[in-house]
C-alpha cells in the first residue's frame, strides 16, 4: 500500500524536503510510516474511513503544518474535491489543477474535449447510460462487442466487455457496483470494444507556463481483468512517425485542459497502427519507473518543481530513448486462479534481488509485513533495464529467479513464463495475450524431458544433503541411497551417491553430477521417499477429493457483497449465487450444476477466507 509513498519520500529526501506519512491503523508499522519524518494515523483499515477520509487528512495537514500534498496514485489522487479543499487552505496539490482533474477524470467529458482537440477517439455513446435496458439499446446501435466502463474509473475497476444483450445487463450491474465502491460514482458509459488491440500510453509533462513535453511511450498490453501485469518502454510496435503523432496528440490534449504536472494519455492501438484515445490519468502512473529508466528524468522531482511554479528544464528535442526497461508487477495473488486471485498473509521471508546490476525494486513492504484484504495486493514493482530489450529481459529473468517471497502466494511463476514466452520475446502481443496463450488458465511451467530429469536429480540430491546434515543425530548414513521421487503422479526410482561435495544421481541409464544447487522461482510439488517408505506408502489411504459440484467455497479471501439465493431455491447451472469483493474487485460466484439450495452459510457484509463454505446444494 505504501509503495508510492516510499517512492515520493525517496525523491523528497534527495531534494531536502521533509515528509509526513498518513496511514490507517493497520498500517502503523508500514515502511512508508518508518521512512517519513513524521506520521499521522487517519483512521481504521477500511479505505473509506482512512485513505479516502478527507476530513482526517485535512486535519493531519493542519496538525503538521504541511505545505504540499503528493497524492501518489489511487485513493484521492484524481479527486477534484480534495484538490479544491487543499487550494482553499493554501496547500499545494502536487498534480494538475481541479479543472484538468475534472475534465479528464470524467470519461464522457474527456472524450468530447479530446475530439475537439483533434485527438483520435473510439466510436461510442457520448453520455451517461441511465439503466441496463438503455445500455442494451446503445450497445445494439454501436454494435458488439462493447466496453462498459465507469465514467470516473481507473485501474481496471468498473470495466466489463459485453458480446451480447445478457452480458450487457450483467456488465452494467457489476460495473456500476464496482464504480460506486471504488470511486463513489456509479455513472457508466459505453463504447465500441476494439478487438485485439495494444495498450500503449504516452507520458506527458507540462508546467504552469504553457510548455508541455511527451516523454515517449510505455507498452502495457500484458493485462488480466483490464489490469496491467508487465509493461515496457519503449514499445516494440511503434515506429518514429507513429510515436511522434501519438506524442503530439497527447500534448495537444494536455494543452486543451491547461494541464500542469506529470500525466499519462492512454491509447488503444490496432494492428494497422491506428490509435484511439482511451483516457487521461491526471496523476503519476504505477509504471512511471520504466520511463525514468529510458529518459533519465525523475518524474516525482519534476512534479514537485512544476507544483512550485518552476518552468520545465527540457525541450522536446532533449528527451532521449536510452536503452530498454521492463516492469513486472509482483502481486500477492494466486496466478493459477484466473491469472491471479488475491492472497493474504504475512511475509515470513522477503528478499529483493537488489544485488543484481540494473535492477530497481519499488516496494512498500518488508519481511514481516502483512498483506491484508483491505488494499491492493501489489507487493512491488520489479524493474530491469539494459542497452537492448534482450538485455533487459534477461536481467528480468535473473531478477525473478533471485526474488525470495514466502508467506503469501505470489505471481512470480506467471511473470517469469510471460517474459520468456516466444510470443512475448518476439513482441507479438495484445491485451488478449494471457487468454490466448493460456486458454485454459495458467498451469505453471511445462517441463521439457531434460528439465524433468534435472529437477528429479536436484530434488533427490537435496534430500540426501538434508539427511546428511542430520547424521550427527541419526548416526552414520550410507554413501549410497536408493530413492523414489514422485512428480505429477509419476514415480521415478533414483540412485544417489556422494563424494565430497558432489552428488551423482543415476536413473533412466543416465548419470547427473550435482555439485551446487540453484533454486529458481518456478515451483513444483515433489515427494522424495526412501525405497522402504515408498513401498509402505501404497498402504496409506488416499484422500477422496471433495465433490465441488454440490458446494460453493470462496476461491479467495474477501467480503460478501450480495447473496442471491436462500435455502429451498432452485438454481440453474451458471446462475449467480453470491458476489465476493476482494481488493476492490467484485467476483460473481455461480452454481456448478442445476440443483436446489440446501443451505446458505454467508450473508452480505460477512468477511470470508479462502476455502470458506458459502452455499451447499442438494
Amino acid at each position: 500500500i505504501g509503495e508510492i509513498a516510499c517512492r515520493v519520500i525517496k525523491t523528497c529526501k534527495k531534494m531536502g524536503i521533509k515528509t509526513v506519512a498518513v496511514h490507517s491503523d493497520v498500517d502503523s508499522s508500514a515502511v512508508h510510516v518508518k521512512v517519513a519524518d513524521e506520521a499521522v494515523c487517519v483512521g481504521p483499515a477500511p479505505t473509506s474511513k482512512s485513505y479516502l477520509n478527507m476530513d482526517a487528512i485535512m486535519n493531519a495537514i493542519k496538525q503538521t503544518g504541511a505545505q504540499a500534498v503528493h497524492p501518489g496514485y489511487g485513493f484521492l489522487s484524481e479527486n477534484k474535491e480534495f484538490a479544491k479543499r487543499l487550494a482553499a487552505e493554501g496547500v499545494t496539490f502536487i498534480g494538475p489543477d481541479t479543472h484538468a482533474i475534472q475534465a479528464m477524470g470524467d470519461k464522457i467529458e474527456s472524450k468530447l474535449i479530446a475530439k475537439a482537440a483533434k485527438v483520435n477517439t473510439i466510436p461510442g455513446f457520448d453520455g451517461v447510460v441511465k439503466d441496463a435496458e438503455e445500455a442494451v439499446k446503445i450497445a445494439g446501435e454501436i454494435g458488439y462487442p462493447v466496453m462498459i466502463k465507469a465514467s470516473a474509473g481507473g485501474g481496471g475497476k468498473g470495466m466489463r466487455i459485453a458480446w451480447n444483450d445478457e452480458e450487457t445487463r450483467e456488465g452494467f450491474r457489476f460495473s456500476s457496483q464496482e464504480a460506486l465502491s471504488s470511486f463513489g460514482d456509479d455513472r457508466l458509459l459505453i463504447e465500441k470494444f476494439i478487438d485485439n488491440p495494444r495498450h500503449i500510453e504516452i507520458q506527458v509533462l507540462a508546467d504552469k507556463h504553457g510548455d508541455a513535453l511527451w516523454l515517449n511511450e510505455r507498452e502495457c498490453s500484458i493485462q488480466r481483468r483490464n489490469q496491467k501485469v508487465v509493461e515496457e518502454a519503449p514499445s516494440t510496435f511503434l515506429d518514429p512517425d507513429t510515436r511522434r503523432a501519438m506524442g503530439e496528440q497527447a500534448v495537444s490534449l494536455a494543452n486543451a485542459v491547461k494541464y500542469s504536472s506529470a500525466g499519462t494519455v492512454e491509447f488503444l492501438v490496432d494492428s494497422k497502427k491506428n490509435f484511439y484515445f482511451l483516457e487521461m490519468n491526471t496523476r503519476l502512473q504505477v509504471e512511471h519507473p520504466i520511463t525514468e529508466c529510458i529518459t533519465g528524468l525523475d518524474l516525482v522531482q519534476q512534479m514537485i518543481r512544476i507544483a512550485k511554479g518552476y518552468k520545465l528544464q527540457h525541450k522536446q528535442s532533449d528527451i532521449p530513448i536510452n536503452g530498454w526497461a521492463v516492469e513486472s508487477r509482483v502481486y500477492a495473488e494466486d496466478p493459477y486462479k484466473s491469472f491471479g486471485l488475491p492472497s493474504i498473509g504475512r511475509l515470513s521471508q522477503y528478499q529483493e534481488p537488489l544485488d543484481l546490476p540494473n535492477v530497481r525494486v519499488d516496494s512498500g513492504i518488508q519481511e514481516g509485513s502483512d498483506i491484508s484484504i483491505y488494499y491492493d495486493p501489489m507487493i512491488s514493482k520489479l524493474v530491469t533495464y539494459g542497452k537492448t530489450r534482450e538485455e533487459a529481459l534477461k536481467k528480468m529473468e535473473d531478477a525473478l529467479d533471485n526474488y525470495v517471497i514466502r508467506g503469501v502466494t505470489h505471481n512470480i511463476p506467471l511473470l517469469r513464463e510471460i517474459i520468456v514466452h516466444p510470443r512475448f520475446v518476439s513482441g507479438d502481443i495484445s491485451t488478449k495475450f494471457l487468454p490466448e496463450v493460456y486458454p485454459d488458465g495458467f498451469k505453471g511451467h511445462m517441463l521439457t524431458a531434460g528439465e524433468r530429469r534435472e529437477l528429479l536429480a536436484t530434488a533427490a540430491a537435496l534430500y540426501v544433503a538434508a539427511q546428511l546434515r542430520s547424521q550427527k543425530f541419526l548416526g552414520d548414513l550410507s554413501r549410497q541411497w536408493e530413492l523414489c521421487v514422485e512428480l505429477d503422479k509419476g514415480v521415478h526410482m533414483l540412485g544417489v551417491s556422494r563424494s565430497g561435495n558432489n552428488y551423482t544421481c543415476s536413473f533412466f541409464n543416465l548419470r547427473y553430477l550435482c555439485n551446487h544447487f540453484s533454486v529458481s522461482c518456478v515451483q513444483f510439488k515433489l515427494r522424495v521417499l526412501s525405497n522402504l517408505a515408498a513401498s509402505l506408502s501404497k498402504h496409506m489411504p488416499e484422500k477422496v477429493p471433495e465433490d465441488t459440484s454440490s458446494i460453493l467455497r470462496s476461491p479467495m479471501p474477501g467480503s460478501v457483497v450480495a447473496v442471491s439465493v436462500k435455502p429451498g431455491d432452485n438454481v440453474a447451472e451458471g446462475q449467480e449465487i453470491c458476489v465476493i469483493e476482494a481488493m476492490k474487485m467484485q467476483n460473481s460466484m455461480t452454481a456448478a450444476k442445476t440443483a436446489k439450495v440446501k443451505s446458505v452459510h454467508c450473508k452480505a457484509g460477512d468477511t470470508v477466507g479462502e476455502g470458506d463454505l458459502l452455499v451447499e446444494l442438494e
Side-chain angles (χ1 to χ4, degrees), residues 25 77 180 187 232 236 278 293 344 410 427 432 434 495 533:
D25 55 8
S77 61
L180 191 62
R187 292 174 307 139
E232 61 183 307
T236 58
L278 190 59
C293 288
I344 60 170
H410 55 77
K432 280 190 169 180
L434 287 176

Side-chain angles (χ1 to χ4, degrees), residues 362-606:
D362 283 21
S363 68
I365 44 92
Q366 59 189 2
E367 198 161 284
S369 290
D370 284 306
I371 307 291
S372 75
I373 62 166
Y374 296 109
Y375 312 121
D376 191 89
M378 193 168 73
I379 292 173
S380 74
K381 303 178 317 200
L382 177 63
V383 179
T384 59
Y385 49 101
K387 290 188 183 71
T388 62
R389 185 172 188 260
E390 186 182 17
E391 192 182 312
L393 289 176
K394 181 68 185 82
K395 287 183 190 299
M396 180 60 74
E397 194 179 336
D398 292 344
L400 289 166
D401 280 348
N402 285 278
Y403 206 145
V404 179
I405 303 171
R406 301 279 183 275
V408 294
T409 308
H410 55 77
N411 68 332
I412 285 180
L414 173 62
L415 293 170
R416 197 183 184 285
E417 285 297 295
I418 290 168
I419 59 130
V420 299
H421 193 281
R423 257 188 73 177
F424 181 80
V425 172
S426 71
D428 174 22
I429 59 176
S430 75
T431 54
K432 280 190 169 180
F433 178 88
L434 287 176
E436 283 179 355
V437 170
Y438 307 105
D440 301 319
F442 178 65
K443 307 292 184 194
H445 180 71
M446 295 295 122
L447 291 164
T448 63
E451 286 172 338
R452 179 176 289 273
R453 289 194 291 269
E454 199 173 322
L455 177 63
L456 292 168
T458 303
L462 282 168
Y463 173 83
V464 170
Q467 294 291 310
L468 288 170
R469 279 198 297 274
S470 308
Q471 71 179 352
K472 57 184 164 191
F473 303 107
L474 301 175
D476 191 30
L477 293 176
S478 143
R479 297 275 164 184
Q480 179 74 35
W481 292 265
E482 296 299 322
L483 300 174
C484 166
V485 184
E486 297 174 5
L487 171 66
D488 294 340
K489 297 182 181 171
V491 178
H492 308 274
M493 310 306 293
L494 285 83
V496 181
S497 58
R498 174 180 174 252
S499 173
N501 288 327
N502 295 333
Y503 295 83
T504 304
C505 302
S506 54
F507 59 114
F508 301 134
N509 297 321
L510 294 165
R511 290 168 70 78
Y512 278 84
L513 182 66
C514 302
N515 54 13
H516 71 283
F517 305 119
S518 66
V519 181
S520 95
C521 67
V522 182
Q523 297 170 358
F524 297 94
K525 284 186 180 173
L526 302 99
R527 189 161 73 139
V528 184
L529 301 167
S530 66
N531 276 357
L532 174 61
S535 67
L536 295 172
S537 71
K538 59 174 162 279
H539 301 294
M540 298 289 284
E542 278 196 34
K543 187 177 177 183
V544 179
E546 190 172 39
D547 177 12
T548 54
S549 67
S550 297
I551 56 164
L552 181 67
R553 293 189 181 277
S554 179
M556 72 211 127
S559 59
V560 180
V561 175
V563 179
S564 315
V565 296
K566 60 185 185 300
D569 285 358
N570 290 312
V571 293
E573 182 182 343
Q575 183 179 330
E576 180 181 292
I577 287 179
C578 62
V579 177
I580 306 289
E581 185 176 279
M583 270 94 169
K584 300 191 253 179
M585 295 295 279
Q586 296 200 350
N587 303 273
S588 174
M589 305 288 110
T590 57
K593 66 178 184 182
T594 299
K596 184 179 275 192
V597 176
K598 182 179 174 185
S599 58
V600 177
H601 298 266
C602 62
K603 63 182 184 301
D606 284 359

